[in-house]
Structures are given as structure tokens and as C-alpha cells.
Amino acid sequence: MDFVSVIGFLAAACSVSSFVPQAFKILRTRDTSSLSPQMYALTTTGFLLWTAYGVAQGQWPLILTNAVCFVFAAFILIMTLLPSRQKAAVADAIDPRD
């Protein structure tokens, strides 16, 4: 693997893994009060556009990375927009240990 590929792989790993702690925290606490829905809406839109760009360019690293980031960002966005009762229901369905 060449140096440029290593940089791309590391960037993808950082991008994808950056959403995991926030998603798990939401599942555990059911709290999104400190999150900005506008920021997550913009971020989610950006990942969707990057995915579309990757598809248009035929670049699988862009497609896969941004599609996974889109899913995480969209989950967080949806959870910030849901009322408390529905948020708890979604979190319970995904993580029923509480």
C-alpha cells in the first residue's frame, strides 16, 4: 500500500469512527439536548453530497466512507429531532439493556 493510500485509509477511519462515540452516548443517555440539529443537518447533507460525488467519479473509497458517515450522522440527526418518548423507543430497540 502506497503512502497516499495509507493517508486515505487513515482519514476514512478517523471520519467514520468520529461519529461512533456520539451515537453510543445517545443510545446510553437518550440525551441530545446539547447537540445542534442544524449542524447535523448540514453535516448529513455534506456526507450525502460527498457520496453522490464519489458515485459520479466512480471512487469507491469516497462512496463507502461517506455513505457510512452519512448513516451515523443521519442517525444522530434523527435522534436530535425526535421527541423524548420516540427517542427512548428507538434507543431501547437498538440497545435494550436499560
Side-chain angles (χ1 to χ4, degrees), residues 8-92:
F9 176 77
L10 292 173
C14 289
S15 294
V16 170
S17 65
S18 69
F19 289 96
V20 173
Q22 187 67 64
F24 280 124
K25 183 176 181 183
I26 290 169
L27 288 174
R28 273 193 320 272
T29 67
R30 278 83 165 139
D31 179 31
T32 59
S33 61
S34 65
L35 300 179
S36 166
Q38 295 86 357
M39 188 279 292
Y40 271 98
L42 189 59
T43 300
T44 302
T45 302
F47 285 129
L48 182 62
L49 292 170
W50 273 114
T51 302
Y53 176 78
V55 169
Q57 295 291 317
Q59 296 291 322
W60 281 102
L62 282 176
I63 297 166
L64 294 175
T65 300
N66 287 289
V68 172
C69 287
F70 170 78
V71 169
F72 277 115
F75 170 76
I76 294 168
L77 174 63
I78 290 166
M79 292 297 278
T80 63
L81 297 174
L82 286 176
S84 294
R85 177 183 273 167
Q86 289 178 325
K87 189 182 308 182
V90 169
D92 288 340

